[in-house]
Amino acid sequence: MPERFGPWKTVYERHRLWPADGTWERPLQPVQAAADAAGEIDRDISVDSTIVRAHQHAAGARTDPPPVPASKGAEQAEHQGETAWQSLHARLVEVVQEVRAWAARGAGSPANST
């Protein structure tokens, strides 16, 4: 900022206070009135939708409480009424357990020893 405007804090305070106390309105009103009388003011309004945000609850967030996790050793019959995400999670747990078992068997085989 150029030095002729003074310290940045002073400029900031004026910029913050002058709109609130009407300092900008006094010189702006005659200029706007003259421009309006000459037909030089365009009254079109534009809203940039990239700055409009929806609250998380307006974006399709789940409204019901999360399901209670099944106890260890739960049978397959308990998974029949689950949502797609619950079924996917259950299947992912099964796959991880299978991979761990496969890795444990591979680590103990004589072909993999050095």
XYZ file of all heavy atoms in Angstrom:
878
model
N 0.844 -1.166 0.000
C 0.000 0.000 0.000
C 0.897 1.240 0.000
O 1.874 1.287 0.738
C -0.876 -0.028 1.264
C -1.723 1.178 1.421
S -2.825 1.139 2.844
C -3.530 -0.455 2.739
N 0.576 2.215 -0.815
C 1.413 3.428 -0.859
C 1.458 4.141 0.489
O 0.471 4.179 1.233
C 0.719 4.307 -1.904
C -0.091 3.365 -2.731
C -0.478 2.236 -1.823
N 2.599 4.723 0.807
C 2.789 5.402 2.094
C 1.855 6.585 2.270
O 1.512 6.950 3.392
C 4.244 5.851 2.232
C 5.200 4.699 2.456
C 6.622 5.197 2.697
O 6.796 6.346 3.149
O 7.539 4.422 2.436
N 1.427 7.195 1.164
C 0.575 8.386 1.264
C -0.771 8.083 1.936
O -1.454 8.984 2.401
C 0.365 9.011 -0.115
C -0.470 8.192 -1.051
C -0.653 8.918 -2.401
N -1.472 8.158 -3.296
C -1.027 7.323 -4.219
N 0.274 7.156 -4.379
N -1.854 6.673 -4.995
N -1.164 6.793 1.984
C -2.416 6.421 2.643
C -2.256 6.250 4.148
O -3.237 6.107 4.859
C -2.973 5.125 2.052
C -3.424 5.263 0.631
C -2.874 4.479 -0.352
C -4.401 6.187 0.266
C -3.285 4.601 -1.672
C -4.814 6.324 -1.037
C -4.254 5.532 -2.010
N -1.026 6.261 4.615
C -0.770 6.127 6.046
C -0.589 4.677 6.449
O -0.490 3.776 5.607
N -0.543 4.424 7.752
C -0.346 3.054 8.243
C -1.505 2.146 7.819
O -2.659 2.579 7.752
C -0.314 3.214 9.766
C -0.077 4.657 10.024
C -0.600 5.395 8.837
N -1.200 0.892 7.560
C -2.220 -0.044 7.078
C -3.356 -0.195 8.078
O -4.512 -0.355 7.712
C -1.616 -1.412 6.749
C -1.166 -2.184 7.957
C 0.064 -2.190 8.521
C -1.982 -3.054 8.757
N 0.082 -3.006 9.630
C -1.168 -3.561 9.792
C -3.309 -3.462 8.707
C -1.627 -4.434 10.766
C -3.767 -4.340 9.678
C -2.931 -4.813 10.687
N -3.030 -0.120 9.376
C -4.062 -0.292 10.393
C -5.078 0.854 10.351
O -6.281 0.649 10.527
C -3.426 -0.409 11.776
C -4.385 -0.856 12.836
C -3.677 -1.178 14.119
C -4.679 -1.707 15.121
N -4.053 -2.090 16.368
N -4.592 2.071 10.088
C -5.481 3.220 9.973
C -6.397 3.060 8.766
O -7.607 3.310 8.844
C -4.658 4.518 9.845
O -3.792 4.631 10.969
C -5.554 5.733 9.767
N -5.841 2.638 7.655
C -6.628 2.421 6.442
C -7.675 1.340 6.684
O -8.847 1.492 6.305
C -5.715 2.052 5.250
C -6.534 1.669 4.037
C -4.769 3.193 4.936
N -7.277 0.266 7.332
C -8.211 -0.815 7.631
C -9.368 -0.324 8.501
O -10.538 -0.601 8.224
C -7.489 -1.978 8.322
C -8.438 -2.995 8.892
C -9.071 -3.914 8.065
C -8.737 -3.003 10.250
C -9.966 -4.838 8.581
C -9.622 -3.923 10.772
C -10.233 -4.832 9.937
O -11.125 -5.736 10.444
N -9.042 0.406 9.568
C -10.079 0.899 10.480
C -11.040 1.840 9.756
O -12.251 1.776 9.954
C -9.453 1.599 11.687
C -8.841 0.643 12.688
C -9.852 -0.319 13.288
O -10.984 0.099 13.597
O -9.518 -1.495 13.436
N -10.519 2.725 8.904
C -11.397 3.623 8.149
C -12.287 2.838 7.187
O -13.479 3.124 7.057
C -10.571 4.643 7.379
C -9.931 5.669 8.278
C -9.070 6.628 7.524
N -8.465 7.591 8.439
C -7.432 8.342 8.126
N -6.883 8.266 6.920
N -6.946 9.176 9.001
N -11.697 1.878 6.523
C -12.476 1.057 5.580
C -13.579 0.286 6.312
O -14.653 0.074 5.774
C -11.544 0.085 4.853
C -12.231 -0.754 3.844
N -12.702 -0.251 2.659
C -12.547 -2.066 3.845
C -13.282 -1.222 1.966
N -13.196 -2.333 2.668
N -13.329 -0.114 7.523
C -14.308 -0.847 8.305
C -15.389 0.069 8.886
O -16.573 -0.278 8.905
C -13.587 -1.599 9.436
C -14.447 -2.562 10.223
C -13.642 -3.275 11.284
N -13.163 -2.388 12.330
C -13.881 -1.989 13.379
N -15.119 -2.374 13.511
N -13.348 -1.196 14.294
N -14.997 1.260 9.339
C -15.934 2.148 10.032
C -16.757 3.040 9.092
O -17.919 3.315 9.370
C -15.171 3.030 11.022
C -14.535 2.297 12.206
C -13.703 3.258 13.038
C -15.607 1.648 13.062
N -16.168 3.513 8.011
C -16.859 4.473 7.153
C -18.155 3.936 6.534
O -19.132 4.675 6.447
C -15.926 5.007 6.077
C -14.918 5.994 6.615
C -14.821 6.454 7.899
C -13.881 6.622 5.887
N -13.774 7.332 8.017
C -13.174 7.457 6.788
C -13.448 6.570 4.575
C -12.097 8.231 6.409
C -12.369 7.350 4.187
C -11.702 8.166 5.093
N -18.232 2.678 6.102
C -19.536 2.209 5.609
C -20.588 2.178 6.719
O -21.768 2.429 6.469
C -19.251 0.792 5.103
C -17.798 0.749 4.847
C -17.186 1.687 5.843
N -20.173 1.904 7.945
C -21.115 1.797 9.051
C -21.659 3.159 9.484
O -22.827 3.281 9.842
C -20.446 1.104 10.240
N -20.818 4.209 9.438
C -21.291 5.516 9.919
C -21.815 6.422 8.807
O -22.174 7.569 9.062
C -20.189 6.220 10.727
C -19.005 6.669 9.891
O -19.052 6.561 8.641
O -18.020 7.154 10.486
N -21.854 5.936 7.562
C -22.435 6.713 6.465
C -21.473 7.626 5.750
O -21.893 8.423 4.896
N -20.197 7.561 6.056
C -19.215 8.426 5.413
C -19.185 8.215 3.899
O -19.058 9.170 3.147
C -17.808 8.185 6.007
O -17.865 8.434 7.410
C -16.763 9.060 5.367
N -19.317 6.994 3.442
C -19.314 6.715 1.998
C -20.617 7.125 1.345
O -20.657 7.472 0.167
C -19.070 5.230 1.730
C -17.663 4.789 1.981
C -17.258 3.863 2.885
C -16.482 5.233 1.316
N -15.903 3.708 2.843
C -15.394 4.550 1.880
C -16.231 6.167 0.324
C -14.086 4.747 1.478
C -14.918 6.364 -0.094
C -13.866 5.660 0.483
N -21.722 7.084 2.067
C -23.037 7.412 1.498
C -23.145 8.880 1.096
O -23.756 9.199 0.081
C -24.151 7.061 2.488
C -24.413 5.584 2.621
C -24.904 4.946 1.332
O -25.765 5.547 0.659
O -24.402 3.868 1.001
N -22.587 9.770 1.901
C -22.737 11.214 1.624
C -22.177 11.600 0.254
O -22.882 12.247 -0.515
C -22.110 12.030 2.747
C -22.953 12.012 4.016
C -22.434 12.977 5.070
N -21.121 12.613 5.592
C -20.934 11.754 6.603
N -21.965 11.177 7.181
N -19.728 11.494 7.028
N -20.951 11.247 -0.122
C -20.492 11.628 -1.472
C -21.066 10.734 -2.576
O -21.166 11.144 -3.725
C -18.971 11.481 -1.391
C -18.733 10.503 -0.296
C -19.866 10.675 0.676
N -21.470 9.514 -2.228
C -21.955 8.587 -3.244
C -23.358 8.933 -3.733
O -23.665 8.798 -4.918
C -21.922 7.157 -2.691
C -22.323 6.044 -3.644
C -21.356 5.982 -4.827
C -22.363 4.714 -2.927
N -24.232 9.403 -2.854
C -25.617 9.683 -3.234
C -25.750 10.719 -4.352
O -26.486 10.485 -5.313
C -26.430 10.107 -2.013
C -26.766 8.934 -1.116
C -27.505 9.360 0.142
O -27.560 10.542 0.479
N -28.075 8.387 0.836
N -25.082 11.872 -4.311
C -25.222 12.829 -5.419
C -24.676 12.287 -6.745
O -25.244 12.533 -7.811
C -24.425 14.057 -4.981
C -24.043 13.855 -3.578
C -24.299 12.431 -3.216
N -23.589 11.515 -6.672
C -23.014 10.939 -7.889
C -23.983 9.922 -8.482
O -24.229 9.911 -9.701
C -21.633 10.292 -7.596
C -21.112 9.532 -8.789
C -20.646 11.344 -7.145
N -24.576 9.080 -7.640
C -25.548 8.097 -8.122
C -26.796 8.774 -8.683
O -27.331 8.343 -9.701
C -25.944 7.132 -6.999
C -24.939 6.054 -6.750
C -25.401 5.092 -5.664
O -26.110 5.482 -4.741
N -24.994 3.841 -5.783
N -27.261 9.824 -8.021
C -28.459 10.524 -8.497
C -28.216 11.132 -9.870
O -29.074 11.051 -10.764
C -28.863 11.601 -7.491
N -27.058 11.725 -10.076
C -26.736 12.319 -11.381
C -26.625 11.242 -12.459
O -27.120 11.399 -13.577
C -25.436 13.110 -11.285
N -25.974 10.110 -12.114
C -25.831 9.020 -13.081
C -27.181 8.395 -13.393
O -27.453 8.031 -14.550
C -24.862 7.967 -12.540
N -28.046 8.277 -12.404
C -29.376 7.705 -12.620
C -30.216 8.625 -13.499
O -30.932 8.170 -14.394
C -30.055 7.465 -11.274
C -31.282 6.576 -11.389
O -31.349 5.774 -12.355
O -32.155 6.657 -10.508
N -30.122 9.941 -13.263
C -30.879 10.901 -14.075
C -30.411 10.867 -15.534
O -31.207 11.063 -16.457
C -30.722 12.305 -13.496
N -29.141 10.583 -15.732
C -28.596 10.514 -17.098
C -28.819 9.142 -17.722
O -28.451 8.917 -18.880
C -27.109 10.845 -17.077
N -29.401 8.209 -16.961
C -29.652 6.862 -17.485
C -28.404 6.004 -17.599
O -28.336 5.098 -18.421
N -27.424 6.305 -16.791
C -26.141 5.592 -16.865
C -26.020 4.451 -15.855
O -24.978 3.818 -15.776
C -24.996 6.582 -16.651
C -24.925 7.646 -17.720
C -23.895 8.706 -17.408
O -23.380 8.735 -16.261
O -23.608 9.513 -18.297
N -27.065 4.197 -15.085
C -26.998 3.121 -14.088
C -27.770 1.921 -14.617
O -28.934 2.025 -14.992
C -27.568 3.567 -12.725
C -26.658 4.641 -12.130
C -27.673 2.377 -11.780
C -27.077 5.108 -10.761
N -27.093 0.798 -14.662
C -27.712 -0.462 -15.081
C -28.119 -1.210 -13.821
O -27.294 -1.472 -12.950
C -26.705 -1.279 -15.897
C -27.323 -2.515 -16.511
O -28.553 -2.674 -16.419
O -26.580 -3.324 -17.079
N -29.374 -1.561 -13.698
C -29.889 -2.174 -12.478
C -29.969 -3.699 -12.557
O -30.726 -4.310 -11.834
C -31.261 -1.602 -12.152
C -31.240 -0.094 -12.038
C -31.790 0.337 -10.732
N -31.834 1.797 -10.672
C -31.193 2.480 -9.766
N -30.482 1.866 -8.869
N -31.258 3.790 -9.750
N -29.223 -4.320 -13.433
C -29.201 -5.781 -13.498
C -28.487 -6.328 -12.269
O -27.514 -5.755 -11.791
C -28.482 -6.272 -14.757
C -29.273 -5.993 -16.013
O -30.497 -5.789 -15.906
O -28.666 -5.957 -17.095
N -28.992 -7.443 -11.788
C -28.396 -8.087 -10.620
C -27.912 -9.464 -11.032
O -28.603 -10.202 -11.732
C -29.419 -8.215 -9.471
C -29.836 -6.815 -9.017
C -28.837 -8.999 -8.317
C -30.919 -6.837 -7.976
N -26.730 -9.819 -10.588
C -26.163 -11.122 -10.894
C -25.679 -11.768 -9.603
O -25.041 -11.118 -8.781
C -24.995 -10.965 -11.869
O -24.396 -12.218 -12.102
N -25.990 -13.047 -9.446
C -25.532 -13.788 -8.280
C -24.611 -14.895 -8.775
O -24.976 -15.673 -9.649
C -26.720 -14.397 -7.503
C -26.221 -15.250 -6.348
C -27.630 -13.302 -7.009
N -23.429 -14.949 -8.222
C -22.467 -15.985 -8.586
C -22.747 -17.208 -7.728
O -22.508 -17.204 -6.528
C -21.049 -15.476 -8.356
C -19.998 -16.487 -8.765
O -20.368 -17.572 -9.254
O -18.808 -16.195 -8.606
N -23.259 -18.256 -8.338
C -23.665 -19.432 -7.571
C -22.491 -20.224 -7.023
O -22.674 -21.113 -6.211
C -24.541 -20.338 -8.435
O -23.786 -20.844 -9.513
N -21.276 -19.921 -7.445
C -20.137 -20.669 -6.921
C -19.868 -20.330 -5.463
O -19.150 -21.059 -4.802
C -18.867 -20.406 -7.742
O -18.564 -19.011 -7.695
C -19.038 -20.869 -9.164
N -20.443 -19.251 -4.952
C -20.207 -18.900 -3.557
C -21.368 -19.298 -2.665
O -21.315 -19.107 -1.468
C -19.920 -17.395 -3.395
C -21.097 -16.560 -3.874
C -18.647 -17.002 -4.098
C -21.040 -15.122 -3.443
N -22.427 -19.849 -3.228
C -23.576 -20.265 -2.441
C -23.337 -21.686 -1.964
O -23.099 -22.595 -2.754
C -24.876 -20.179 -3.269
C -26.060 -20.686 -2.465
C -25.104 -18.758 -3.723
N -23.370 -21.888 -0.676
C -23.105 -23.202 -0.096
C -24.354 -23.734 0.601
O -25.090 -22.981 1.232
C -21.989 -23.112 0.938
C -20.717 -22.495 0.412
C -19.874 -23.543 -0.276
N -18.573 -22.995 -0.572
C -18.118 -22.789 -1.787
N -18.870 -23.074 -2.827
N -16.929 -22.297 -1.978
N -24.563 -25.019 0.496
C -25.665 -25.659 1.212
C -25.137 -26.198 2.528
O -23.999 -26.664 2.623
C -26.240 -26.799 0.382
N -25.950 -26.132 3.533
C -25.597 -26.705 4.829
C -25.540 -28.220 4.684
O -26.236 -28.804 3.857
C -26.647 -26.299 5.871
C -26.259 -26.669 7.260
N -26.570 -27.878 7.814
C -25.573 -25.988 8.205
C -26.096 -27.927 9.048
N -25.491 -26.794 9.305
N -24.740 -28.875 5.490
C -24.581 -30.323 5.374
C -25.900 -31.066 5.498
O -26.100 -32.099 4.883
C -23.587 -30.836 6.398
C -24.061 -30.661 7.834
C -23.020 -31.121 8.828
O -21.921 -31.477 8.456
N -23.376 -31.121 10.092
N -26.821 -30.538 6.297
C -28.108 -31.212 6.448
C -28.989 -31.045 5.221
O -29.963 -31.775 5.059
C -28.823 -30.705 7.699
C -28.081 -31.049 8.953
N -27.758 -30.111 9.887
C -27.576 -32.224 9.394
C -27.084 -30.700 10.871
N -26.960 -31.972 10.592
N -28.679 -30.088 4.366
C -29.452 -29.875 3.147
C -28.879 -30.666 1.977
O -29.409 -30.626 0.883
C -29.465 -28.393 2.798
N -27.808 -31.379 2.207
C -27.115 -32.068 1.120
C -27.341 -33.575 1.137
O -26.514 -34.334 0.675
C -25.622 -31.760 1.192
N -28.448 -34.021 1.682
C -28.762 -35.445 1.657
C -28.072 -36.252 2.733
O -27.885 -37.459 2.585
N -27.664 -35.611 3.798
C -27.024 -36.340 4.888
C -28.035 -37.279 5.551
O -29.234 -37.013 5.563
C -26.469 -35.367 5.928
N -27.537 -38.369 6.094
C -28.401 -39.343 6.743
C -29.088 -38.707 7.947
O -28.473 -38.001 8.731
C -27.553 -40.531 7.186
C -28.376 -41.640 7.823
C -27.551 -42.852 8.153
N -26.490 -42.496 9.088
C -25.315 -43.101 9.120
N -25.062 -44.069 8.297
N -24.408 -42.739 9.984
N -30.380 -38.959 8.116
C -31.111 -38.396 9.248
C -31.344 -39.420 10.346
O -31.564 -39.048 11.489
C -32.481 -37.847 8.796
O -33.216 -38.897 8.180
C -32.306 -36.693 7.837
N -31.313 -40.710 10.008
C -31.503 -41.738 11.030
C -30.172 -42.038 11.703
O -29.116 -41.813 11.133
C -32.109 -43.016 10.426
C -31.270 -43.580 9.295
O -30.608 -42.773 8.602
O -31.274 -44.801 9.097
N -30.189 -42.527 12.937
C -28.933 -42.810 13.632
C -28.180 -43.951 12.954
O -28.778 -44.794 12.287
C -29.383 -43.208 15.045
C -30.802 -43.635 14.890
C -31.359 -42.855 13.738
N -26.857 -43.985 13.098
C -26.088 -45.056 12.486
C -26.468 -46.402 13.096
O -26.854 -46.478 14.266
C -24.634 -44.704 12.804
C -24.686 -43.718 13.907
C -26.025 -43.048 13.832
N -26.366 -47.472 12.314
C -26.748 -48.790 12.826
C -25.778 -49.267 13.896
O -24.611 -48.891 13.913
C -26.677 -49.683 11.594
C -25.728 -48.993 10.678
C -25.892 -47.525 10.933
N -26.279 -50.098 14.776
C -25.459 -50.691 15.824
C -24.630 -51.799 15.184
O -25.164 -52.658 14.485
C -26.349 -51.269 16.948
C -25.501 -51.927 18.012
C -27.218 -50.179 17.526
N -23.304 -51.789 15.381
C -22.487 -52.831 14.767
C -22.830 -54.207 15.335
O -23.132 -54.346 16.517
C -21.053 -52.427 15.108
C -21.147 -51.408 16.182
C -22.527 -50.833 16.144
N -22.773 -55.219 14.468
C -23.072 -56.591 14.888
C -21.951 -57.099 15.786
O -20.808 -56.696 15.662
C -23.218 -57.482 13.672
N -22.298 -58.002 16.691
C -21.290 -58.562 17.583
C -20.391 -59.514 16.806
O -20.736 -59.993 15.734
C -21.977 -59.297 18.732
O -22.752 -60.369 18.215
N -19.221 -59.795 17.366
C -18.291 -60.709 16.717
C -18.930 -62.086 16.608
O -19.643 -62.526 17.501
C -16.986 -60.800 17.506
C -16.174 -59.541 17.437
C -14.861 -59.717 18.157
C -14.031 -58.459 18.071
N -12.769 -58.571 18.762
N -18.685 -62.741 15.494
C -19.228 -64.080 15.298
C -20.675 -64.068 14.853
O -21.353 -65.080 14.914
N -21.187 -62.921 14.422
C -22.578 -62.848 13.976
C -22.743 -63.695 12.720
O -21.858 -63.776 11.885
C -22.955 -61.398 13.687
N -23.885 -64.308 12.596
C -24.123 -65.186 11.462
C -24.524 -64.401 10.231
O -24.936 -63.256 10.313
C -25.220 -66.200 11.822
C -24.813 -67.136 12.943
C -25.890 -68.156 13.248
O -26.853 -68.246 12.472
O -25.768 -68.844 14.253
N -24.428 -65.020 9.054
C -24.747 -64.390 7.781
C -26.204 -63.945 7.724
O -26.526 -62.973 7.078
C -24.447 -65.377 6.629
C -24.610 -64.786 5.247
C -23.560 -63.742 4.925
O -22.519 -63.660 5.572
N -23.831 -62.936 3.924
N -27.117 -64.629 8.405
C -28.537 -64.297 8.359
C -28.791 -62.894 8.904
O -29.745 -62.244 8.496
C -29.336 -65.321 9.154
N -27.938 -62.424 9.796
C -28.120 -61.090 10.359
C -27.853 -59.996 9.341
O -28.271 -58.872 9.503
C -27.195 -60.900 11.560
C -27.568 -61.771 12.737
C -26.657 -61.499 13.911
O -26.101 -60.388 13.993
O -26.499 -62.389 14.749
N -27.136 -60.287 8.266
C -26.752 -59.283 7.271
C -27.799 -59.091 6.181
O -27.611 -58.268 5.306
C -25.415 -59.669 6.624
C -24.285 -59.755 7.601
N -23.830 -58.665 8.296
C -23.538 -60.804 8.013
C -22.841 -59.035 9.088
N -22.642 -60.328 8.942
N -28.899 -59.799 6.208
C -29.845 -59.727 5.105
C -30.608 -58.411 5.049
O -30.975 -57.961 3.983
C -30.834 -60.903 5.189
C -30.154 -62.222 4.857
C -31.120 -63.384 4.948
O -32.271 -63.219 5.320
N -30.639 -64.563 4.590
N -30.850 -57.749 6.150
C -31.596 -56.503 6.145
C -30.709 -55.271 6.110
O -31.159 -54.175 6.377
N -29.436 -55.410 5.759
C -28.495 -54.308 5.800
C -28.603 -53.407 4.580
O -29.089 -53.807 3.529
C -27.066 -54.847 5.878
C -26.751 -55.542 7.167
C -25.324 -56.045 7.192
O -24.723 -56.174 6.115
O -24.822 -56.303 8.287
N -28.081 -52.209 4.742
C -27.976 -51.296 3.609
C -26.798 -51.732 2.740
O -25.998 -52.594 3.139
C -27.739 -49.854 4.098
O -26.455 -49.802 4.737
C -28.829 -49.394 5.039
N -26.673 -51.113 1.595
C -25.571 -51.452 0.692
C -24.216 -51.191 1.345
O -23.278 -51.976 1.189
C -25.699 -50.661 -0.610
N -24.099 -50.070 2.086
C -22.828 -49.757 2.735
C -22.495 -50.764 3.829
O -21.348 -51.138 4.002
C -22.858 -48.346 3.328
C -22.778 -47.296 2.276
C -23.770 -46.465 1.882
C -21.649 -46.982 1.465
N -23.336 -45.651 0.879
C -22.032 -45.947 0.602
C -20.355 -47.473 1.376
C -21.170 -45.400 -0.329
C -19.498 -46.931 0.440
C -19.902 -45.905 -0.401
N -23.505 -51.199 4.568
C -23.257 -52.186 5.615
C -22.817 -53.506 4.990
O -21.905 -54.164 5.499
C -24.519 -52.387 6.454
C -24.854 -51.189 7.319
C -26.221 -51.313 7.941
O -27.128 -51.874 7.344
N -26.378 -50.778 9.140
N -23.461 -53.905 3.911
C -23.081 -55.145 3.232
C -21.664 -55.046 2.689
O -20.881 -55.994 2.786
C -24.049 -55.443 2.084
O -25.353 -55.619 2.573
N -21.332 -53.892 2.111
C -19.987 -53.691 1.580
C -18.957 -53.763 2.696
O -17.909 -54.392 2.551
C -19.915 -52.338 0.869
C -18.581 -51.972 0.240
C -18.199 -52.987 -0.833
C -18.640 -50.583 -0.347
N -19.266 -53.145 3.825
C -18.344 -53.177 4.961
C -18.149 -54.611 5.454
O -17.027 -55.049 5.715
C -18.864 -52.280 6.084
C -17.978 -52.289 7.297
N -18.212 -53.110 8.362
C -16.847 -51.605 7.576
C -17.263 -52.924 9.266
N -16.427 -52.007 8.813
N -19.245 -55.345 5.577
C -19.154 -56.734 6.048
C -18.310 -57.565 5.084
O -17.472 -58.369 5.509
C -20.549 -57.330 6.193
N -18.521 -57.375 3.792
C -17.745 -58.136 2.789
C -16.279 -57.735 2.842
O -15.389 -58.581 2.711
C -18.328 -57.899 1.396
C -17.595 -58.622 0.302
C -17.688 -60.139 0.463
N -16.876 -60.786 -0.556
C -16.049 -61.784 -0.333
N -15.950 -62.306 0.875
N -15.335 -62.294 -1.300
N -16.001 -56.458 3.040
C -14.618 -55.994 3.128
C -13.912 -56.625 4.328
O -12.756 -57.042 4.230
C -14.583 -54.466 3.237
C -13.211 -53.811 3.269
C -12.415 -54.152 2.025
C -13.335 -52.311 3.420
N -14.602 -56.719 5.447
C -14.023 -57.372 6.626
C -13.695 -58.834 6.312
O -12.623 -59.331 6.663
C -14.981 -57.259 7.836
C -14.539 -58.152 8.978
C -15.084 -55.814 8.294
N -14.614 -59.521 5.629
C -14.371 -60.922 5.258
C -13.161 -61.045 4.349
O -12.308 -61.938 4.533
C -15.605 -61.491 4.553
C -16.817 -61.645 5.449
C -18.070 -62.013 4.663
O -17.957 -62.307 3.452
O -19.157 -61.991 5.259
N -13.029 -60.158 3.370
C -11.900 -60.222 2.433
C -10.585 -59.980 3.164
O -9.590 -60.678 2.926
C -12.091 -59.205 1.280
C -10.828 -59.053 0.457
C -13.258 -59.618 0.401
N -10.572 -59.002 4.076
C -9.349 -58.728 4.829
C -8.956 -59.945 5.658
O -7.776 -60.323 5.722
C -9.535 -57.472 5.725
C -8.398 -57.335 6.724
C -9.650 -56.228 4.870
N -9.928 -60.598 6.280
C -9.629 -61.799 7.055
C -9.083 -62.915 6.165
O -8.137 -63.611 6.537
C -10.880 -62.263 7.803
C -11.282 -61.326 8.922
C -12.628 -61.665 9.526
O -13.397 -62.448 8.976
N -12.925 -61.058 10.664
N -9.652 -63.057 4.962
C -9.164 -64.085 4.031
C -7.740 -63.789 3.583
O -6.894 -64.688 3.507
C -10.083 -64.169 2.811
C -11.448 -64.755 3.114
C -12.390 -64.664 1.924
O -11.935 -64.334 0.808
O -13.598 -64.913 2.114
N -7.441 -62.511 3.309
C -6.092 -62.136 2.878
C -5.094 -62.371 4.002
O -3.982 -62.874 3.769
C -6.062 -60.663 2.402
C -4.640 -60.175 2.216
C -6.857 -60.514 1.118
N -5.461 -62.037 5.220
C -4.567 -62.276 6.352
C -4.289 -63.765 6.533
O -3.158 -64.172 6.791
C -5.159 -61.693 7.633
C -5.086 -60.190 7.683
C -5.657 -59.648 8.956
N -5.540 -58.189 9.004
C -6.213 -57.416 9.821
N -7.049 -57.961 10.702
N -6.064 -56.120 9.802
N -5.329 -64.586 6.392
C -5.146 -66.034 6.510
C -4.244 -66.548 5.391
O -3.364 -67.386 5.606
C -6.503 -66.736 6.483
N -4.454 -66.047 4.178
C -3.639 -66.461 3.030
C -2.184 -66.050 3.244
O -1.260 -66.819 2.989
C -4.203 -65.821 1.760
C -3.380 -66.069 0.549
C -3.346 -67.200 -0.197
C -2.456 -65.155 -0.056
N -2.465 -67.054 -1.234
C -1.906 -65.794 -1.162
C -2.055 -63.872 0.231
C -0.962 -65.201 -1.989
C -1.118 -63.264 -0.577
C -0.589 -63.922 -1.681
N -1.959 -64.807 3.736
C -0.592 -64.343 3.981
C 0.079 -65.143 5.073
O 1.261 -65.456 4.999
C -0.623 -62.855 4.359
N -0.682 -65.521 6.096
C -0.112 -66.321 7.187
C 0.291 -67.704 6.684
O 1.342 -68.220 7.046
C -1.103 -66.444 8.333
N -0.533 -68.275 5.829
C -0.185 -69.611 5.258
C 1.033 -69.491 4.364
O 1.922 -70.344 4.394
C -1.363 -70.149 4.433
C -2.488 -70.701 5.272
C -3.482 -71.476 4.438
N -4.022 -70.710 3.315
C -5.141 -69.990 3.360
N -5.822 -69.915 4.476
N -5.557 -69.322 2.298
N 1.130 -68.383 3.577
C 2.266 -68.198 2.681
C 3.563 -67.942 3.435
O 4.629 -68.361 3.012
N 3.488 -67.245 4.551
C 4.690 -66.935 5.324
C 5.267 -68.185 5.985
O 6.449 -68.280 6.202
C 4.353 -65.889 6.402
N 4.420 -69.170 6.235
C 4.896 -70.385 6.900
C 5.336 -71.478 5.948
O 5.873 -72.488 6.356
N 5.150 -71.292 4.631
C 5.509 -72.361 3.689
C 7.019 -72.396 3.443
O 7.673 -71.362 3.464
C 4.770 -72.173 2.353
O 5.265 -71.042 1.696
N 7.601 -73.568 3.197
C 9.040 -73.694 2.992
C 9.496 -72.987 1.714
O 10.631 -72.564 1.614
C 9.281 -75.200 2.882
C 7.991 -75.871 3.116
C 6.936 -74.849 3.228
N 8.634 -72.832 0.700
C 9.062 -72.206 -0.558
C 9.372 -70.723 -0.369
O 10.132 -70.140 -1.110
C 7.962 -72.375 -1.607
N 8.759 -70.099 0.644
C 8.957 -68.668 0.857
C 10.076 -68.370 1.848
O 10.384 -67.232 2.080
C 7.674 -68.013 1.380
C 6.595 -67.983 0.299
O 6.913 -68.083 -0.879
N 5.364 -67.833 0.727
N 10.684 -69.394 2.441
C 11.747 -69.128 3.409
C 13.037 -68.848 2.687
O 13.299 -69.334 1.608
C 11.887 -70.297 4.369
O 12.240 -71.461 3.638
N 13.912 -68.026 3.288
C 15.193 -67.674 2.661
C 16.335 -68.363 3.292
O 16.319 -68.820 4.380
C 15.426 -66.154 2.750
O 15.328 -65.737 4.095
C 14.455 -65.420 1.865
